[in-house]
Coordinates of all heavy atoms in Angstrom, one line a residue:
M67 N 0.8 -1.2 0.0 CA 0.0 0.0 0.0 C 0.9 1.2 0.0 O 1.9 1.3 0.7 CB -0.9 0.0 1.2 CG -2.0 1.0 1.2 SD -2.8 1.2 2.8 CE -3.5 -0.4 3.0
K68 N 0.5 2.2 -0.8 CA 1.2 3.5 -0.9 C 0.9 4.3 0.3 O -0.3 4.7 0.5 CB 0.9 4.2 -2.2 CG 2.1 5.1 -2.6 CD 1.7 5.8 -3.9 CE 2.6 6.9 -4.1 NZ 2.1 7.9 -5.1
M69 N 1.9 4.7 1.1 CA 1.6 5.5 2.3 C 1.9 7.0 2.0 O 2.8 7.3 1.2 CB 2.6 5.0 3.4 CG 2.4 3.6 3.8 SD 0.8 3.2 4.6 CE 1.2 3.6 6.3
K70 N 1.2 7.8 2.7 CA 1.4 9.2 2.6 C 1.8 9.8 3.9 O 1.5 9.3 5.0 CB 0.0 9.9 2.2 CG -0.3 9.5 0.8 CD -1.8 9.9 0.5 CE -2.3 9.4 -0.9 NZ -3.7 9.4 -1.0
Q71 N 2.6 10.9 3.8 CA 3.0 11.5 5.1 C 2.1 12.6 5.5 O 1.8 13.5 4.7 CB 4.4 12.0 4.9 CG 5.0 12.5 6.2 CD 6.5 12.9 6.1 OE1 6.9 13.4 5.1 NE2 7.3 12.7 7.1
C72 N 1.7 12.6 6.7 CA 0.8 13.7 7.2 C 1.7 14.9 7.4 O 2.8 14.9 8.0 CB 0.2 13.3 8.6 SG -0.6 14.7 9.3
P73 N 1.3 16.1 6.8 CA 2.1 17.3 6.9 C 2.2 17.8 8.3 O 3.1 18.6 8.6 CB 1.4 18.3 6.0 CG 0.2 17.6 5.4 CD 0.1 16.3 6.0
L74 N 1.3 17.4 9.2 CA 1.3 18.0 10.5 C 2.1 17.1 11.5 O 3.0 17.6 12.1 CB -0.2 18.1 11.0 CG -0.9 19.4 10.7 CD1 -0.8 19.8 9.3 CD2 -2.3 19.4 11.2
C75 N 1.8 15.8 11.6 CA 2.5 15.0 12.6 C 3.7 14.2 11.9 O 4.4 13.6 12.6 CB 1.6 14.1 13.3 SG 0.8 12.9 12.2
K76 N 3.8 14.3 10.6 CA 4.9 13.6 9.9 C 4.8 12.1 9.9 O 5.8 11.4 9.6 CB 6.3 14.1 10.4 CG 6.5 15.6 10.4 CD 6.4 16.1 9.0 CE 6.6 17.7 9.0 NZ 6.3 18.3 7.7
K77 N 3.7 11.6 10.4 CA 3.5 10.1 10.4 C 3.1 9.6 9.0 O 2.4 10.3 8.3 CB 2.5 9.7 11.4 CG 3.1 9.7 12.8 CD 2.0 9.2 13.8 CE 2.5 9.4 15.2 NZ 1.4 9.7 16.2
M78 N 3.5 8.4 8.7 CA 3.1 7.8 7.5 C 1.7 7.2 7.7 O 1.5 6.4 8.6 CB 4.1 6.7 7.0 CG 5.5 7.3 6.7 SD 5.5 8.7 5.5 CE 5.2 7.8 4.0
V79 N 0.7 7.5 6.9 CA -0.6 7.0 7.0 C -1.1 6.5 5.6 O -0.6 7.0 4.6 CB -1.6 8.1 7.6 CG1 -1.2 8.5 9.0 CG2 -1.5 9.4 6.7
P80 N -2.0 5.6 5.7 CA -2.6 5.1 4.4 C -3.3 6.1 3.6 O -3.4 6.1 2.4 CB -3.5 3.9 4.8 CG -3.5 3.9 6.3 CD -2.6 4.9 6.8
E81 N -3.9 7.1 4.3 CA -4.8 8.0 3.7 C -4.8 9.4 4.4 O -4.8 9.4 5.6 CB -6.2 7.5 3.7 CG -7.0 7.9 2.5 CD -8.3 7.1 2.4 OE1 -8.7 6.4 3.3 OE2 -9.0 7.3 1.3
L82 N -4.8 10.4 3.6 CA -5.0 11.7 4.2 C -6.4 12.2 3.9 O -7.0 11.9 2.9 CB -3.9 12.7 3.6 CG -2.4 12.5 3.9 CD1 -1.6 13.4 3.1 CD2 -2.2 12.6 5.4
L83 N -6.8 13.0 4.8 CA -8.2 13.6 4.7 C -8.2 15.0 4.1 O -7.3 15.8 4.5 CB -8.9 13.6 6.0 CG -8.9 12.2 6.8 CD1 -9.4 12.4 8.2 CD2 -9.7 11.2 6.0
Y84 N -9.1 15.2 3.2 CA -9.1 16.6 2.6 C -10.5 17.2 2.8 O -10.8 18.2 2.2 CB -8.8 16.5 1.1 CG -7.4 15.9 0.8 CD1 -7.2 14.6 0.6 CD2 -6.3 16.8 0.9 CE1 -6.0 14.1 0.4 CE2 -5.0 16.3 0.6 CZ -4.9 14.9 0.4 OH -3.6 14.4 0.1
D85 N -11.4 16.5 3.5 CA -12.7 16.9 3.5 C -13.0 17.8 4.7 O -13.9 17.6 5.5 CB -13.7 15.7 3.6 CG -13.4 14.8 4.8 OD1 -12.3 14.9 5.3 OD2 -14.3 14.0 5.1
M86 N -12.2 18.8 4.9 CA -12.4 19.7 6.0 C -12.9 21.1 5.7 O -12.8 22.0 6.4 CB -11.0 19.9 6.7 CG -10.5 18.6 7.3 SD -8.7 18.9 7.6 CE -8.1 19.0 6.0
H87 N -13.5 21.2 4.5 CA -13.9 22.5 4.0 C -15.3 22.8 4.6 O -15.8 23.9 4.4 CB -14.0 22.5 2.5 CG -14.7 21.3 1.9 ND1 -14.1 20.1 1.7 CD2 -16.0 21.1 1.6 CE1 -14.9 19.2 1.2 NE2 -16.1 19.8 1.1
V88 N -15.9 21.8 5.2 CA -17.3 22.1 5.8 C -17.2 23.2 6.9 O -16.2 23.3 7.6 CB -17.9 20.9 6.3 CG1 -18.4 20.0 5.2 CG2 -17.0 20.1 7.3
A89 N -18.2 23.9 7.0 CA -18.3 25.1 7.9 C -17.9 24.7 9.3 O -17.3 25.5 10.1 CB -19.6 25.8 7.9
T90 N -18.3 23.5 9.8 CA -18.1 23.1 11.2 C -16.6 22.9 11.5 O -16.2 23.0 12.6 CB -18.8 21.8 11.5 OG1 -18.5 20.9 10.4 CG2 -20.3 22.0 11.6
D91 N -15.8 22.7 10.4 CA -14.3 22.5 10.6 C -13.5 23.8 10.4 O -12.3 23.7 10.4 CB -13.8 21.4 9.7 CG -14.2 20.0 10.3 OD1 -14.3 19.9 11.6 OD2 -14.2 19.1 9.6
Q92 N -14.2 24.9 10.2 CA -13.5 26.1 9.9 C -12.5 26.5 11.1 O -11.4 26.8 10.8 CB -14.5 27.3 9.7 CG -14.0 28.4 9.0 CD -13.4 28.0 7.6 OE1 -14.1 27.3 6.8 NE2 -12.2 28.3 7.3
L93 N -13.0 26.3 12.3 CA -12.1 26.6 13.5 C -10.9 25.6 13.5 O -9.8 26.0 13.9 CB -13.0 26.5 14.7 CG -12.3 26.9 16.0 CD1 -11.9 28.3 16.0 CD2 -13.3 26.7 17.2
V94 N -11.2 24.4 13.2 CA -10.2 23.3 13.2 C -9.1 23.8 12.1 O -7.9 23.7 12.5 CB -10.8 22.0 12.8 CG1 -9.7 21.0 12.5 CG2 -11.7 21.5 13.9
I95 N -9.5 24.1 11.0 CA -8.6 24.6 9.9 C -7.8 25.8 10.4 O -6.5 25.8 10.2 CB -9.3 24.8 8.6 CG1 -9.9 23.5 8.1 CG2 -8.4 25.4 7.6 CD1 -11.0 23.7 7.0
E96 N -8.4 26.7 11.0 CA -7.7 27.9 11.5 C -6.6 27.6 12.5 O -5.5 28.1 12.5 CB -8.7 28.9 12.1 CG -9.4 29.8 11.0 CD -10.5 30.6 11.6 OE1 -10.4 31.0 12.8 OE2 -11.5 30.9 10.9
R97 N -6.9 26.7 13.4 CA -6.0 26.2 14.4 C -4.8 25.5 13.8 O -3.7 25.7 14.2 CB -6.7 25.4 15.4 CG -7.4 26.2 16.5 CD -8.2 25.3 17.4 NE -9.0 26.2 18.3 CZ -8.8 26.3 19.6 NH1 -7.8 25.7 20.2 NH2 -9.6 27.1 20.3
M98 N -5.1 24.7 12.8 CA -4.0 24.0 12.2 C -3.1 25.0 11.4 O -1.9 24.8 11.5 CB -4.6 23.0 11.1 CG -5.2 21.8 11.8 SD -6.1 20.8 10.5 CE -6.4 19.3 11.5
K99 N -3.7 25.9 10.8 CA -2.9 26.9 10.1 C -2.0 27.8 11.0 O -0.9 28.2 10.7 CB -3.8 27.8 9.2 CG -4.2 27.1 8.0 CD -5.1 28.0 7.1 CE -5.4 27.3 5.8 NZ -6.4 28.0 5.0
K100 N -2.6 28.0 12.2 CA -1.9 28.8 13.2 C -0.6 28.0 13.7 O 0.5 28.5 13.9 CB -2.8 29.0 14.4 CG -2.6 30.3 15.1 CD -3.6 30.5 16.2 CE -3.5 31.8 16.9 NZ -4.4 32.0 18.0
D101 N -0.8 26.7 13.9 CA 0.3 25.8 14.4 C 1.2 25.5 13.3 O 2.4 25.2 13.5 CB -0.3 24.5 15.0 CG -1.0 24.8 16.3 OD1 -0.9 25.9 16.8 OD2 -1.7 23.8 16.8
F102 N 0.7 25.4 12.1 CA 1.6 25.0 10.9 C 1.4 26.0 9.8 O 0.7 25.8 8.8 CB 1.2 23.6 10.4 CG 1.4 22.5 11.4 CD1 0.4 22.2 12.4 CD2 2.6 21.9 11.5 CE1 0.7 21.2 13.3 CE2 2.8 20.9 12.4 CZ 1.9 20.5 13.3
P103 N 2.1 27.2 9.9 CA 2.1 28.2 8.9 C 2.6 27.6 7.6 O 3.5 26.9 7.5 CB 3.0 29.3 9.4 CG 3.3 29.0 10.8 CD 3.1 27.6 11.0
G104 N 1.8 27.9 6.5 CA 2.2 27.3 5.2 C 1.4 26.1 4.9 O 1.3 25.7 3.7
W105 N 0.8 25.5 5.9 CA -0.1 24.4 5.6 C -1.4 24.9 5.1 O -1.9 26.0 5.5 CB -0.4 23.6 6.9 CG -1.4 22.4 6.7 CD1 -1.1 21.2 6.3 CD2 -2.8 22.5 7.0 NE1 -2.2 20.4 6.2 CE2 -3.3 21.2 6.6 CE3 -3.7 23.5 7.4 CZ2 -4.7 20.9 6.8 CZ3 -5.0 23.2 7.5 CH2 -5.5 21.9 7.2
S106 N -2.0 24.1 4.2 CA -3.3 24.5 3.7 C -4.2 23.2 3.7 O -3.7 22.1 3.6 CB -3.2 25.0 2.3 OG -4.1 24.4 1.4
E107 N -5.5 23.4 3.8 CA -6.4 22.2 3.9 C -6.3 21.4 2.6 O -6.6 20.2 2.6 CB -7.8 22.7 4.1 CG -8.4 23.6 3.0 CD -8.2 25.1 3.4 OE1 -7.2 25.4 4.0 OE2 -9.1 25.9 3.1
K108 N -5.7 21.9 1.5 CA -5.5 21.2 0.3 C -4.4 20.1 0.5 O -4.2 19.2 -0.2 CB -5.1 22.1 -0.8 CG -6.3 22.9 -1.3 CD -5.9 23.7 -2.5 CE -6.8 25.0 -2.7 NZ -6.5 26.0 -1.8
D109 N -3.5 20.3 1.5 CA -2.4 19.4 1.8 C -2.9 18.2 2.5 O -2.2 17.2 2.5 CB -1.3 20.1 2.7 CG -0.7 21.3 1.9 OD1 -0.6 21.3 0.7 OD2 -0.3 22.3 2.6
G110 N -4.0 18.3 3.2 CA -4.6 17.1 3.9 C -4.0 16.9 5.3 O -2.9 17.5 5.6
V111 N -4.7 16.1 6.0 CA -4.2 15.7 7.4 C -4.6 14.3 7.6 O -5.5 13.7 6.9 CB -4.7 16.6 8.5 CG1 -4.2 17.9 8.5 CG2 -6.2 16.5 8.5
C112 N -3.9 13.6 8.6 CA -4.3 12.3 8.9 C -5.5 12.3 9.9 O -5.8 13.4 10.5 CB -3.1 11.5 9.5 SG -2.7 12.0 11.2
E113 N -6.2 11.2 10.0 CA -7.3 11.1 10.8 C -7.1 11.5 12.3 O -7.8 12.3 12.8 CB -7.9 9.7 10.7 CG -9.1 9.4 11.7 CD -10.4 9.5 11.0 OE1 -10.5 9.0 9.9 OE2 -11.3 10.1 11.6
P114 N -6.0 11.0 12.9 CA -5.7 11.3 14.3 C -5.5 12.8 14.5 O -5.9 13.4 15.5 CB -4.5 10.5 14.6 CG -4.4 9.4 13.7 CD -5.1 9.9 12.4
C115 N -4.8 13.5 13.5 CA -4.6 14.9 13.6 C -6.0 15.7 13.6 O -6.2 16.6 14.4 CB -3.7 15.4 12.5 SG -2.0 15.2 12.9
L116 N -6.8 15.3 12.7 CA -8.1 15.9 12.5 C -8.9 15.7 13.8 O -9.5 16.7 14.3 CB -8.9 15.3 11.4 CG -10.2 15.9 11.0 CD1 -10.1 17.4 10.8 CD2 -10.9 15.3 9.9
Q117 N -8.9 14.5 14.4 CA -9.6 14.3 15.6 C -9.0 15.1 16.8 O -9.8 15.6 17.6 CB -9.5 12.8 16.0 CG -10.2 11.8 15.0 CD -11.6 12.1 14.7 OE1 -12.3 12.7 15.6 NE2 -12.1 11.7 13.6
R118 N -7.7 15.2 16.8 CA -7.1 15.9 17.9 C -7.5 17.4 17.8 O -7.8 18.0 18.8 CB -5.5 15.8 17.7 CG -4.8 16.2 19.0 CD -3.3 15.7 19.0 NE -2.6 16.3 17.9 CZ -2.0 15.6 16.9 NH1 -2.1 14.3 16.9 NH2 -1.4 16.2 15.9
Y119 N -7.5 18.0 16.6 CA -7.8 19.4 16.5 C -9.3 19.6 16.7 O -9.7 20.7 17.1 CB -7.3 19.9 15.1 CG -5.9 20.3 15.2 CD1 -4.8 19.5 15.0 CD2 -5.6 21.7 15.5 CE1 -3.5 19.8 15.1 CE2 -4.2 22.1 15.6 CZ -3.2 21.1 15.3 OH -1.9 21.5 15.5
R120 N -10.1 18.6 16.3 CA -11.5 18.8 16.5 C -11.8 18.8 18.0 O -12.6 19.6 18.5 CB -12.3 17.6 15.9 CG -12.6 17.9 14.5 CD -13.4 16.8 13.8 NE -13.8 17.1 12.5 CZ -14.1 16.1 11.5 NH1 -14.0 14.9 11.9 NH2 -14.4 16.5 10.4
A121 N -11.1 18.0 18.8 CA -11.2 18.0 20.2 C -10.8 19.3 20.9 O -11.4 19.8 21.8 CB -10.4 16.8 20.8
K122 N -9.7 19.8 20.4 CA -9.1 21.1 20.8 C -10.1 22.2 20.6 O -10.3 23.1 21.4 CB -7.8 21.4 20.1 CG -6.6 21.0 20.9 CD -5.4 21.9 20.6 CE -4.4 21.2 19.7 NZ -3.3 22.1 19.4
A123 N -10.7 22.2 19.4 CA -11.6 23.3 18.9 C -12.9 23.2 19.6 O -13.6 24.2 19.7 CB -11.7 23.2 17.4
A124 N -13.2 22.1 20.1 CA -14.6 21.9 20.7 C -14.7 22.7 22.0 O -13.7 22.8 22.8 CB -14.9 20.5 21.0
Ligands
ZN256 ZN1 -1.2 13.7 11.4

């Protein structure tokens, strides 16, 4: 299986998520950009990162 590297945690994951454009994840995206300048939602994140930031944003 072709692995991809998460731009945030640098872990190799089978799949990156790009479906964060929904309004509910706007805060999540903003926090990720704050922590990782240069990152864009088009770069994707791994599932654990998304969950972690969703928990932080909640
Ligand atoms: Zn990650």
